[in-house]
Amino acid sequence: MLMKCAAYTGDVEPCNGILVNAIISYDGSKFFGMQKQPNKKSVQGEIESALKKLNINSSITHAGRTDKGVHALNQVISFKIEAFWKDLEKLKNSLNKTLLPNIFIKK
């Protein structure tokens, strides 16, 4: 699913770019949980690192958290991208090349 950022209404921060929602799965045995933690390998940290490799400087928002060692099959995340990433399938494939085998962007 692809959504443009909402205009600033005073209730939310203004945003630039496009907001992308994604569904991911991951093997939690390799991570200290979903949420980024200092000096610990996390799912959020790995995804944000993969985004940076594609010149996307965005933090991710996740719909829920998992603890160390917990797996996920359909975790929902979102992040902002620049408009030049029009081909979301190419973006997904590029991220999966970096994230596999422990994290998989499903759609």
Side-chain angles (χ1 to χ4, degrees):
M1 176 180 238
L2 173 68
M3 299 187 320
K4 289 191 177 176
C5 290
Y8 181 64
T9 63
D11 295 332
V12 295
E13 275 186 43
C15 53
N16 296 320
I18 298 168
L19 184 65
V20 174
N21 296 323
I23 298 174
I24 65 170
S25 62
Y26 53 87
D27 175 355
S29 66
K30 309 292 184 197
F31 303 103
F32 284 85
M34 174 64 182
Q35 188 172 2
K36 191 165 33 175
Q37 302 176 47
N39 304 315
K40 305 265 187 202
K41 188 175 180 179
S42 69
V43 175
Q44 179 179 3
E46 292 297 304
I47 295 171
E48 289 176 0
S49 177
L51 289 169
K52 281 186 174 131
K53 289 178 184 176
L54 298 174
N55 294 316
I56 300 171
N57 295 312
S58 178
S59 58
I60 68 164
T61 302
H62 39 89
R65 296 186 344 192
T66 54
D67 291 329
K68 179 181 177 181
V70 177
H71 314 304
L73 291 176
N74 291 299
Q75 174 73 285
V76 178
I77 64 168
S78 62
F79 53 91
K80 294 177 193 169
I81 62 172
E82 297 297 324
F84 65 81
W85 277 105
K86 295 179 192 249
D87 186 345
L88 294 181
E89 190 67 24
K90 182 177 179 181
L91 174 59
K92 180 181 87 165
N93 291 337
S94 296
L95 286 169
N96 279 334
K97 283 181 188 175
T98 303
L99 296 169
L100 286 171
N102 299 316
I103 302 172
F104 178 64
I105 309 286
K106 296 170 85 172
K107 60 180 182 174

